[in-house]
């Protein structure tokens, strides 16, 4: 990012004070080094060596394949009204301006000081707010298309879900080129509301993708999240969930599937700040060739958050002796009446199971494929929202069909 451009851009348009503060922080710290604990496993040194030109305007090319139904489309971070559709009556699309309900979500302390949030807030082009005021049966697709070399995109979305409302939001991150994608999402889930959230990051193999999302879950509200990342040479999906009301419930299921020299990072933090909240986190990773996967997950329980039930489990499957998986599950508990657990495993395909299948006449590659699919399908089967499960499953199967492609390509 160019310091002078960030300062100049941040001083223009709405939310200028928020954006100027973000620009000042990023210009002071830049991209974190590996000495910063949160970024110890994901080295951003390659970003420090490159200059990206922020995309501040742009029109998406014609002929794009877009999901049917309700959708909001961004191209290189710029809202595309021509490609977007009418929204359900219960959803209002609004500008992020000073004083708007959605814009206040961007003042979240979890965003300030985070390099991704600071960079995108400073260069915010046409971020949007979504105000959900009732139950919406059909899903809303938000499509982020990113394209170009040495170009960065900075979409910012804030979603305010009122008390008792219900909505399903499906994020699609696609695109090609060697650019940098820095999406930021902030969501408030009101009392008794239900938020179903799917996210697929399937950008091109040369892109860098660093996504930052914060969620605030109120009393007796439900957050169901499903995330899949398969794209990019370097990809990090970071979710911070605050259980901010008594009886809140959050479930986050995450998949990362990598091959060749891809680096995939899944980082989460769930804060239990109120009593009688439950959270469940399931992570599944499959790595092939020389790929590398990272899972950093933290559950923090505040002193007053009695009766907390917080669990997380990460499992990674290695398909090659040259790939690598790092895991850092953490529990930080200050209450005494809780039931929390965490764990992480890294392993290879079980030889006994493989032999069993082959002894019944199934070819080696087919048997391997069956076991990998079963490993992932086990987690997909835990997704209790059919719409989210069906959103993820085709992309998982598509990735599985390419297993061994590096060897086939002679890489």
């Amino acid at each position: 990012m160019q310091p002078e451009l960030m300062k100049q851009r941040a001083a223009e348009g709405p939310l200028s004070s928020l954006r100027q503060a973000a620009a000042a922080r990023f210009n002071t710290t830049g991209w974190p080094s590996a000495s910063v604990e949160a970024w110890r496993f994901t080295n951003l040194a390659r970003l420090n060596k490159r200059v990206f030109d922020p995309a501040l305007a742009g029109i998406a090319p014609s002929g794009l394949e877009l999901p049917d139904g309700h959708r909001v489309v961004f191209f290189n971070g710029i809202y595309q009204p021509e490609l977007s559709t009418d929204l359900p009556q219960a959803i209002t699309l609004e500008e992020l301006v000073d004083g708007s309900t959605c814009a206040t979500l961007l003042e979240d302390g979890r965003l300030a000081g985070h390099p991704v949030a600071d960079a995108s807030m400073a260069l915010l082009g046409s971020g949007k707010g979504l105000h959900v005021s009732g139950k919406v049966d059909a899903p809303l697709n938000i499509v982020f298309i990113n394209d170009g070399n040495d170009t960065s995109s900075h979409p910012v979305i804030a979603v305010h879900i009122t008390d008792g409302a219900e909505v399903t939001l499906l994020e699609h991150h696609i695109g090609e080129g060697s650019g940098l994608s820095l999406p930021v999402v902030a969501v408030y889930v009101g009392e008794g509301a239900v938020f179903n959230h799917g996210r697929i990051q399937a950008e091109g193999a040369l892109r860098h993708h660093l996504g930052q999302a914060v969620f605030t879950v109120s009393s007796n509200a439900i957050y169901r999240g499903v995330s899949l990342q398969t794209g990019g040479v370097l990809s990090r999906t970071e979710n911070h969930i605050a259980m901010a009301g008594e009886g809140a419930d959050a479930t986050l299921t995450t998949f990362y599937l990598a091959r060749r020299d891809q680096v995939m990072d899944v980082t989460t933090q769930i804060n239990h700040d109120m009593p009688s909240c439950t959270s469940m986190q399931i992570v599944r990773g499959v790595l092939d060739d020389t790929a590398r996967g990272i899972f950093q997950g933290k559950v923090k329980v505040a002193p007053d958050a009695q009766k907390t039930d917080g669990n997380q489990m990460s499992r990674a499957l290695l398909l090659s002796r040259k790939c690598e998986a790092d895991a850092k599950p953490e529990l930080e508990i200050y209450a005494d009446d809780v039931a929390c657990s965490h764990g992480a495993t890294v392993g290879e395909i079980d030889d006994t199971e493989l032999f069993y299948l082959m002894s019944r006449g199934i070819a080696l590659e087919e048997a391997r494929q069956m076991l990998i699919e079963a490993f992932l399908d086990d987690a997909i089967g835990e997704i209790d929202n059919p719409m989210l499960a069906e959103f993820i499953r085709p992309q998982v199967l598509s990735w599985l069909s390419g297993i061994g492609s590096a060897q086939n390509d002679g890489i």
Side-chain angles (χ1 to χ4, degrees):
M1 303 298 117
Q2 299 92 322
E4 288 305 317
L5 176 61
M6 294 191 75
K7 288 168 57 178
Q8 175 186 346
R9 181 69 184 173
E12 302 171 350
L15 306 177
S16 57
S17 59
L18 193 67
R19 295 165 61 201
Q20 287 181 56
R25 287 191 296 268
F26 189 86
N27 285 337
T28 301
T29 60
W31 294 115
S33 68
S35 63
V36 177
E37 179 62 23
W39 297 86
R40 180 161 62 96
F41 295 107
T42 301
N43 192 340
L44 299 184
R46 65 180 80 182
L47 296 184
N48 285 318
K49 297 176 182 177
R50 294 184 56 179
V51 175
F52 294 95
D53 291 321
L56 303 178
I59 299 176
S62 59
L64 295 169
E65 290 188 14
L66 298 171
D68 296 330
H70 303 295
R71 64 174 182 258
V72 175
V73 180
F74 292 81
F75 178 69
N76 281 348
I78 309 300
Y79 174 60
Q80 305 288 303
E82 298 82 4
L83 299 178
S84 304
T85 66
D86 293 336
L87 300 183
Q89 190 174 5
I91 302 179
T92 304
L93 184 69
E94 63 180 43
E95 300 296 327
L96 291 175
V97 297
D98 294 275
S100 72
T101 302
C102 288
T104 59
L105 301 181
L106 302 178
E107 299 171 2
D108 194 305
R110 294 169 293 179
L111 294 176
H114 192 283
V116 173
D118 283 342
S120 284
M121 288 295 296
L123 293 165
L124 174 63
S126 63
K128 294 294 180 184
L130 290 166
H131 190 81
V132 182
S133 58
K135 183 175 181 179
V136 184
D137 293 326
L140 171 61
N141 294 280
I142 300 187
V143 185
F144 299 95
I145 307 163
N146 300 298
D147 192 28
N149 300 320
D150 303 319
T151 300
S152 60
S153 60
H154 304 271
V156 176
I157 296 288
V159 183
H160 185 274
I161 304 171
T162 58
D163 297 349
E166 180 173 353
V167 67
T168 298
L169 191 152
L170 305 177
E171 286 185 51
H172 308 250
H173 297 265
I174 57 177
E176 298 296 338
S178 61
L180 171 65
S181 305
L182 300 175
V184 175
V185 176
V187 181
Y188 170 82
V189 187
E191 292 186 11
V194 178
F195 180 44
N196 302 309
H197 179 218
R199 184 183 197 274
I200 289 178
Q201 189 280 98
E203 296 186 343
L206 299 179
R207 292 196 65 83
H208 298 75
H209 181 105
L210 304 173
Q212 166 77 355
V214 296
F215 307 90
T216 301
V217 188
S218 304
S219 299
N220 300 313
I222 297 174
Y223 169 71
R224 300 189 188 101
V226 178
S227 175
L228 166 68
Q229 51 185 330
T230 62
V233 64
L234 171 64
S235 174
R236 172 163 165 146
T237 300
E238 188 167 341
N239 293 301
H240 293 244
I241 302 173
M243 313 297 281
E246 189 169 351
D249 179 32
T251 303
L252 179 59
T253 305
T254 305
F255 301 88
Y256 63 92
L257 311 176
R259 57 171 59 101
R260 296 189 174 86
D261 59 348
Q262 288 181 294
V263 177
M264 299 275 183
D265 183 333
V266 173
T267 294
T268 64
Q269 178 157 346
I270 300 179
N271 286 356
H272 285 262
D273 299 319
M274 298 296 288
S276 303
C277 296
T278 59
S279 69
M280 170 62 75
Q281 186 177 181
I282 299 171
V283 181
R284 291 288 186 277
V286 179
L287 302 168
D288 200 0
D289 308 318
T290 58
R292 183 161 176 249
I294 299 123
F295 166 66
Q296 301 182 103
K298 185 174 186 177
V299 176
K300 185 176 181 180
V301 181
D304 294 334
Q306 303 293 351
K307 306 293 184 185
T308 287
D309 187 351
N311 303 280
Q312 63 173 215
M313 184 64 198
S314 170
R315 297 176 63 195
L317 183 62
L318 308 183
L319 305 183
S320 161
R321 292 294 175 92
K322 295 181 180 179
C323 54
E324 177 183 335
D326 298 296
K328 194 178 77 168
E330 294 179 273
L331 290 177
E332 187 174 329
I333 301 173
Y334 298 97
D336 53 13
D337 186 9
V338 302
C340 295
S341 67
H342 68 167
T345 66
V346 178
E348 299 174 305
I349 289 178
D350 190 293
D351 288 338
T352 304
E353 295 175 349
L354 195 62
F355 176 78
Y356 175 84
L357 293 175
M358 294 178 66
S359 68
R360 275 141 181 85
I362 300 173
L364 172 62
E365 284 306 312
E366 185 180 358
R368 290 180 80 242
Q369 193 88 2
M370 290 173 65
L371 293 174
I372 298 165
E373 187 172 340
F375 172 76
L376 295 171
D377 203 53
D378 174 59
I380 295 175
E382 293 292 321
I383 301 171
D384 63 0
N385 181 287
M387 195 179 300
L388 293 179
E390 289 311 307
F391 177 62
I392 293 293
R393 193 185 300 276
Q395 196 74 26
V396 170
L397 294 176
S398 175
W399 187 90
L400 286 173
S401 68
I403 287 178
S405 59
Q407 290 91 333
N408 296 336
D409 293 343
I411 296 174

